Amino acid sequence: MRDLAPETGAGLKVRGLRLARKGSVLLDVAELRLDGPGPTLILGPNGAGKSLLLRCLHGLISADQGQVLYRGGVLTAEHMARQAMVFQQPVLLRRSVAANLDFVLKRQGLSREIRKARISALLAEGGLQDKARQSARSLSGGEAQRLAILRALATDPETLFLDEPTSALDPSATQVIEQMIRRASARGVRIVMVTHDIGQARRLAADIVMMQGGRVVEQGAAKQVLDAPITQAARRYLAGGLVT
Amino acid sequence: MQGFAEEFRMAVSLILQGDAELWAIVMLSLRVSVLAVLISALIGMPIGAALAVARFPGRRALIILMNALMGLPPVVVGLLVYLMLSRSGPLGVLELLYTPIAMIIAQVVLVTPIIAALTRQVVEMLAEEYAEQLRSLGVSRLSSVPVLLWDARLALVTALLAGFGRAIAEVGAVIIVGGNINHVTRVMTTTIALETSKGNLALALALGAILIGIAVAVNAMVSALTLRAEQEGLRHA
């Protein structure tokens, strides 16, 4: 393994994580540190265990063995509250766009005036100002994903997990989402994102974690991993070979 | 017996002239069934939602039981409520037998399983879709119930209408516990049964037409709600 970026921020680590179902090992990650200041992208083919790892990191799935460490301790519900996650298929409440944002702001106990101001600011951030009263379920794919990201950002997360947020989007919608992710990262939100898009990894990643068959096969600074992969698996994947 | 055409003409006349007896029966029917559905909703929706999100031993058996109760025979429900409310029954002191309240109780027993089962089905499907997102947002299983009920509101209105359809068309239970007393507990279905047996087909036909009209209106509302849900991308199926 290569040298990783210096540790900062929320201190997200994995130790001896193992998850098996019906005799198949789905995840087997001995050691992983996700602490660089810029976005970390988890890269790999379908079935590599990327989304599963992301869910373990956020505490949505408990591994059979091992630990996810956050801020120096084992991940707890309180830690989860400092994180947010955006899913591949955005799950939006059957309410208006503004009500989706208000849902999380209300839970923070904010006053009506503050919530209103935050909603306006968030809608402007995502370019959805004119959609506030529209049903969230009637948004286009790109708009829906933008709203899902805005809702996640409304929780003021230290760490934002994104599970292939642009996999179903066209290039222009992808570009808008990537800009939102860059801005969030610049504001200090720790970004951990799953993708199988090598181009996206080049555009966004400060660090790369490359996975295959439930294992981390390579990790390090994005430029090093993408330009000079060490392992055969990473070389084949980055060369566009069919990796299973 | 007069000819069918004449009976039909008289039935139309009763409706159009606003016959006081006929509309009193219709209004009592609506009052009893609407109240029964509202009470059933208050009981059935939380039960259905709780069964949708909670995980406990015996949950599957409870769901099977609740689904089975949807098909409760009305006359059996009528008999059971009669036994409870009769003078020698455990609730006899309340003297509710042969009152509209007794009819409401019987309809609540019939409708609550329908609303609870449909709520469970709708909320469970939505809960599966929302599960990870709500957990990620820090919403516990218990506090997810109001969120799910609100977001399933269109489908739940359909469940209420289904319950109302069952209540308003029911005859077996309300005739046993209501007694079909003129101006007191006589509702559309029991009047139709009585007047038909007496050969007074005009009143029976008029009430039948109104009952069918209500059924059509309820179904139209269900269709409109379903269409709206589809248009807004809210369909759960």
Side-chain angles (χ1 to χ4, degrees):
Chain A
M1 289 288 151
R2 302 166 193 273
D3 289 340
L4 295 170
E7 185 170 335
T8 59
L12 180 59
K13 294 175 189 172
V14 163
R15 220 177 261 160
L17 210 64
R18 191 177 163 86
L19 184 71
R21 291 287 182 271
K22 293 177 184 172
S24 300
V25 177
L26 305 177
L27 210 53
D28 188 4
V29 179
E31 191 84 26
L32 183 63
R33 220 181 74 198
L34 299 152
D35 281 314
T40 297
L41 266 75
I42 303 173
L43 198 62
N46 289 337
K50 310 183 295 293
S51 298
L52 214 50
L53 175 62
L54 209 65
R55 280 165 168 75
C56 287
L57 292 173
H58 187 33
L60 292 177
I61 293 177
S62 298
D64 302 332
Q65 294 171 29
Q67 290 175 324
V68 173
L69 303 172
Y70 195 76
R71 288 183 158 264
V74 177
L75 186 73
T76 63
E78 282 176 19
H79 292 143
M80 273 183 80
R82 296 176 179 211
Q83 307 172 342
M85 183 157 173
V86 172
F87 298 87
Q88 189 173 3
Q89 292 295 325
V91 182
L92 299 176
L93 301 178
R94 288 158 165 81
R95 305 171 189 202
S96 71
V97 168
N100 265 271
L101 298 174
D102 201 35
F103 177 77
V104 291
L105 296 174
K106 261 186 193 162
R107 291 179 54 78
Q108 294 165 26
L110 301 173
S111 70
R112 183 187 288 264
E113 290 73 28
I114 293 174
R115 294 199 322 260
K116 211 173 159 187
R118 287 284 320 269
I119 289 169
S120 293
L122 286 161
L123 291 173
E125 159 76 19
L128 294 173
Q129 304 95 314
D130 56 336
K131 310 272 183 186
R133 297 168 72 91
Q134 193 172 316
S135 165
R137 309 281 293 189
S138 66
L139 295 175
S140 70
E143 289 167 342
Q145 198 57 284
R146 270 188 272 160
L147 177 58
I149 292 172
L150 292 175
R151 191 179 55 190
L153 291 174
T155 65
D156 278 330
E158 289 175 351
T159 302
L160 175 59
F161 299 106
L162 299 123
D163 187 5
E164 300 195 39
T166 61
S167 63
L169 304 183
D170 64 26
S172 66
T174 298
Q175 193 179 25
V176 176
I177 300 281
E178 288 183 2
Q179 283 165 355
M180 289 175 74
I181 293 167
R182 270 193 211 95
R183 285 198 294 270
S185 178
R187 285 199 300 271
V189 179
R190 180 85 188 85
I191 302 289
V192 181
M193 175 169 155
V194 163
T195 185
H196 58 247
D197 181 344
I198 298 164
Q200 186 166 59
R202 283 190 188 282
R203 291 192 296 275
L204 281 181
D207 295 302
I208 297 274
V209 173
M210 190 164 290
M211 294 186 71
Q212 191 192 331
R215 291 182 167 81
V216 174
V217 292
E218 194 150 341
Q219 67 174 117
K223 193 165 170 49
Q224 289 176 323
V225 174
L226 295 172
D227 293 343
I230 296 170
T231 61
Q232 179 69 16
R235 277 199 293 273
R236 280 189 63 195
Y237 184 75
L238 293 169
L242 290 173
V243 181
T244 54
Chain B
M1 187 196 280
Q2 294 167 297
F4 177 77
E6 178 60 13
E7 295 285 357
F8 190 78
R9 192 194 61 74
M10 285 171 63
V12 172
S13 170
L14 281 174
I15 296 170
L16 294 180
Q17 286 173 5
D19 180 80
E21 187 185 354
L22 178 132
W23 287 106
I25 292 168
V26 172
M27 292 315 292
L28 179 64
S29 299
L30 289 173
R31 268 203 307 277
V32 166
S33 294
V34 167
L35 269 171
V37 169
L38 289 177
I39 295 167
S40 298
L42 287 174
I43 302 167
M45 282 187 177
I47 291 174
L51 274 175
V53 298
R55 295 292 178 269
F56 55 88
R59 174 179 170 272
R60 186 51 51 189
L62 262 180
I63 290 172
I64 290 169
L65 177 68
M66 199 169 62
N67 289 340
L69 290 178
M70 285 174 78
L72 269 177
V75 285
V76 176
V77 170
L79 176 63
L80 292 175
V81 174
Y82 176 90
L83 292 173
M84 296 289 284
L85 299 181
S86 65
R87 197 163 290 234
S88 55
L91 300 175
V93 290
L94 298 174
E95 296 185 344
L96 294 175
L97 200 60
Y98 304 133
T99 67
I101 294 175
M103 295 154 75
I104 291 171
I105 292 170
Q107 289 195 354
V108 165
V109 175
L110 281 169
V111 172
T112 299
I114 295 173
I115 292 179
L118 293 176
T119 300
R120 199 274 308 164
Q121 197 178 357
V122 166
V123 172
E124 191 167 306
M125 286 168 75
L126 195 59
E128 280 171 20
E129 182 192 331
Y130 280 13
E132 285 194 321
Q133 184 63 75
L134 289 181
R135 273 193 70 200
S136 176
L137 292 172
V139 181
S140 67
R141 263 184 199 276
L142 188 65
S143 50
S144 73
V145 169
V147 180
L148 295 166
L149 284 174
W150 177 250
D151 277 26
R153 57 196 177 278
L154 281 180
L156 292 179
V157 171
T158 307
L160 290 184
L161 291 175
F164 178 76
R166 163 87 162 182
I168 197 81
E170 199 283 316
V171 58
V174 291
I175 207 163
I176 293 175
V177 301
N180 204 13
I181 303 166
N182 200 14
H183 302 303
V184 180
T185 56
R186 194 163 288 179
V187 289
M188 285 191 281
T189 50
T190 58
T191 309
I192 291 170
L194 179 71
E195 297 301 327
T196 304
S197 68
K198 283 163 57 182
N200 182 8
L201 295 183
L203 183 58
L205 274 173
L207 289 169
I210 292 170
L211 199 54
I212 289 171
I214 290 171
V216 170
V218 166
N219 274 293
M221 278 191 271
V222 170
S223 295
L225 281 169
T226 308
L227 185 67
R228 190 180 153 198
E230 283 171 3
Q231 282 170 346
E232 292 184 11
L234 307 183
R235 198 173 187 185
H236 304 311

